[in-house]
Amino acid sequence: MKILVLCLIALAIADKFDQFRAFDEDEFGRTLIDTLQMQMSTGEPIARFIEIMRNLETSIENEQKEDDKTNNEYQNQCTEDIKILQQESANLERRTVEIQSILDELEPLRSYKQGQADAKNAWKVETEKKLADLVKKRETEKAEFDKKVEEHDYATFVIETVRRMFSDKSQSFLQLNNESQWQKVRDYFINASEQAKKFEIKKSYSKMFNVLAEIASAAQSEDFQNSPTVNRIVNLCDLMLKQIEDSKALETKAEQKRLNMFVLEKGNFDKDLTGLNNALAQLTAAILGLDNRIQDQKRDLADYNARLAAKNKQSEDRGGECREKAYNYQLTREKREQKRQLVSQIIGAFSANQRDFAEYVKLRGQAGDFRGKNFQILGNPTED
């Protein structure tokens, strides 16, 4: 029998109750029809159900208005928050640009200063080399001059020694015979000539001593005290002493000139090196100062870039929250609007076709389609 009733309901729904069946296929619509079915089972007037539906429709509309207000306030706050975050990001970005601008000035300046320092260092190395060459040259000149003085002094000593022989009043020399006396003079000059052969500069003194030795050798047969050769040798010795003295004076004068020139040139080099060292000290200090400033700016730039990235992330996250909130709001609004429309359609369908609607509900109840929904559902119409 029940099967027959179900078949009749199915035929009725397919033919007459299509709209009601469409309501019943929606979960919320089925809840509303369950409520209507319960209301009808109590014997209360149908108008009570319409009142409930209209109150429900009004409640949904009011709830949507409240939700609209809340959403507008939230989205306005989102707009304000994002605007502030974007302004803060813009300030941070402007600061990074300013720091980078400072670095763009400091780094080329640092390179320029380093180039100056490199040039000064190269100049200093070259100046130090020239000074070293000058000192080495001076040492060579001094050694050569000392050698010349030594050779001049030796020649002077040799000639003065022989000169004293001719004026020597000591008994030891006078007791020698003439030949021995001349032999002693000759041997002395020969020894001096051999020694002069070792000279590095005044090698001519060796020949000069040989000449004197030959003169002394040729005079061996003469009386040493009254020999004309004695005067000749003495005159030659005096002449040679004068020449040696003049030569030494010239060498000394030349040496003094070289020394003066050395002192002047060395003074110029020392002055240049002092200036270079001072300039290098200033450049080194300037470069160190620039390095510190550059490092400080780079640290600031890294800090501001990190803060900018964090602020952009914060802005992005806030924007994502706002978009998600707006999306959820839209979904809720659409669902709420669907329910409101469904309530309105049920009210309209029920008002226009109360008899058919009542018959549909009655057949539905006979088929056991009442699912025990209650009015608590209507008090929370936005739940899924």
Side-chain angles (χ1 to χ4, degrees):
M1 185 66 172
K2 185 175 181 179
I3 295 175
L4 178 60
V5 173
L6 291 174
C7 290
L8 291 174
I9 291 174
L11 291 172
I13 290 175
D15 182 33
K16 189 176 181 180
F17 304 131
D18 287 345
Q19 186 180 24
F20 302 146
R21 182 177 65 82
F23 296 153
D24 222 358
E25 288 178 351
D26 183 86
E27 183 176 357
F28 182 65
R30 185 165 59 250
T31 299
L32 295 178
I33 294 177
D34 286 344
T35 301
L36 174 61
Q37 188 172 337
M38 180 180 289
Q39 189 73 19
M40 293 175 65
S41 68
T42 64
E44 291 187 12
I46 298 301
R48 176 60 180 158
F49 173 74
I50 295 176
E51 181 183 355
I52 292 174
M53 292 297 103
R54 293 194 183 281
N55 290 339
L56 177 60
E57 182 179 18
T58 300
S59 176
I60 292 175
E61 291 175 348
N62 291 336
E63 186 176 356
Q64 184 59 51
K65 290 178 180 179
E66 186 65 27
D67 201 11
D68 290 343
K69 179 182 178 182
T70 301
N71 178 72
N72 287 336
E73 292 175 352
Y74 181 84
Q75 292 300 326
N76 288 337
Q77 186 61 50
C78 280
T79 300
E80 185 64 23
D81 291 347
I82 292 175
K83 180 180 179 181
I84 293 174
L85 290 171
Q86 289 176 343
Q87 183 59 50
E88 291 176 351
S89 293
N91 293 338
L92 290 171
E93 187 172 1
R94 182 169 58 254
R95 182 57 183 149
T96 60
V97 172
E98 292 173 354
I99 295 174
Q100 186 60 56
S101 177
I102 294 174
L103 283 172
D104 290 342
E105 293 179 358
L106 292 179
E107 289 177 336
L109 179 59
R110 199 270 182 202
S111 297
Y112 174 72
K113 293 291 185 181
Q114 186 61 57
Q116 285 186 313
D118 292 342
K120 295 290 185 184
N121 269 321
W123 188 4
K124 178 182 176 182
V125 170
E126 182 181 358
T127 302
E128 288 175 338
K129 182 179 182 303
K130 289 180 178 180
L131 178 58
D133 291 342
L134 178 66
V135 171
K136 184 177 180 180
K137 177 184 177 184
R138 177 61 199 145
E139 290 173 350
T140 301
E141 291 174 347
K142 181 64 167 59
E144 184 177 344
F145 172 73
D146 290 343
K147 182 62 66 177
K148 289 179 180 180
V149 170
E150 181 182 348
E151 292 175 358
H152 279 84
D153 290 346
Y154 178 77
T156 300
F157 170 76
V158 169
I159 295 173
E160 286 181 344
T161 300
V162 173
R163 183 75 171 73
R164 284 195 299 271
M165 286 182 182
F166 291 102
S167 59
D168 190 2
K169 305 299 183 182
S170 67
Q171 295 298 318
S172 60
F173 184 73
L174 293 175
Q175 287 174 357
L176 297 174
N177 57 42
N178 291 328
E179 184 177 352
S180 297
Q181 289 175 333
W182 284 114
Q183 184 67 33
K184 186 177 180 179
V185 174
R186 184 186 72 85
D187 291 343
Y188 188 80
F189 279 131
I190 289 175
N191 290 332
S193 176
E194 292 298 319
Q195 187 65 30
K197 287 180 180 179
K198 302 175 184 178
F199 286 180
E200 296 180 6
I201 303 171
K202 291 295 185 178
K203 295 182 181 295
S204 61
Y205 285 165
S206 176
K207 296 179 180 180
M208 181 180 67
F209 294 149
N210 274 332
V211 170
L212 291 172
E214 291 174 358
I215 294 173
S217 177
Q220 287 185 14
S221 61
E222 298 179 2
D223 179 25
F224 189 80
Q225 296 296 326
N226 301 311
S227 172
T229 304
V230 171
N231 291 330
R232 181 183 176 191
I233 292 177
V234 170
N235 291 334
L236 284 174
C237 286
D238 290 342
L239 178 61
M240 292 175 66
L241 286 172
K242 182 66 170 60
Q243 290 176 346
I244 293 171
E245 182 182 358
D246 292 343
S247 176
K248 184 178 179 180
L250 289 174
E251 293 294 347
T252 302
K253 184 177 180 180
E255 171 65 8
Q256 186 61 47
K257 184 178 180 180
R258 288 191 294 269
L259 178 60
N260 292 340
M261 184 59 67
F262 167 75
V263 171
L264 177 62
E265 292 180 357
K266 184 177 183 300
N268 290 334
F269 282 130
D270 289 339
K271 183 178 179 181
D272 289 344
L273 286 174
T274 299
L276 286 170
N277 287 329
N278 291 336
L280 281 171
Q282 293 176 1
L283 286 170
T284 300
I287 290 172
L288 179 60
L290 287 170
D291 285 340
N292 292 335
R293 290 181 62 191
I294 288 172
Q295 291 304 317
D296 289 343
Q297 294 300 322
K298 285 185 176 180
R299 281 193 293 269
D300 287 347
L301 182 61
D303 176 61
Y304 275 97
N305 279 331
R307 291 166 62 181
L308 177 60
K311 190 62 65 175
N312 287 337
K313 180 66 167 55
Q314 185 180 358
S315 179
E316 181 181 349
D317 291 344
R318 181 59 174 152
E321 292 174 359
C322 295
R323 288 190 295 273
E324 182 178 4
K325 195 76 171 180
Y327 177 74
N328 292 335
Y329 159 77
Q330 187 62 33
L331 288 180
T332 301
R333 180 181 178 83
E334 290 174 357
K335 290 179 180 179
R336 186 178 287 117
E337 179 62 20
Q338 290 173 359
K339 289 181 179 181
R340 188 197 65 76
Q341 290 180 3
L342 184 61
V343 171
S344 179
Q345 290 172 1
I346 290 176
I347 292 173
F350 181 75
S351 298
N353 303 286
Q354 291 187 18
R355 187 180 300 277
D356 292 340
F357 200 92
E359 184 179 353
Y360 171 79
V361 170
K362 180 179 179 181
L363 292 173
R364 181 174 179 272
Q366 292 176 354
D369 200 27
F370 177 63
R371 303 189 180 190
K373 301 290 181 178
N374 53 50
F375 290 104
Q376 185 179 0
I377 299 298
L378 300 180
N380 207 357
T382 59
E383 289 186 358
D384 292 335

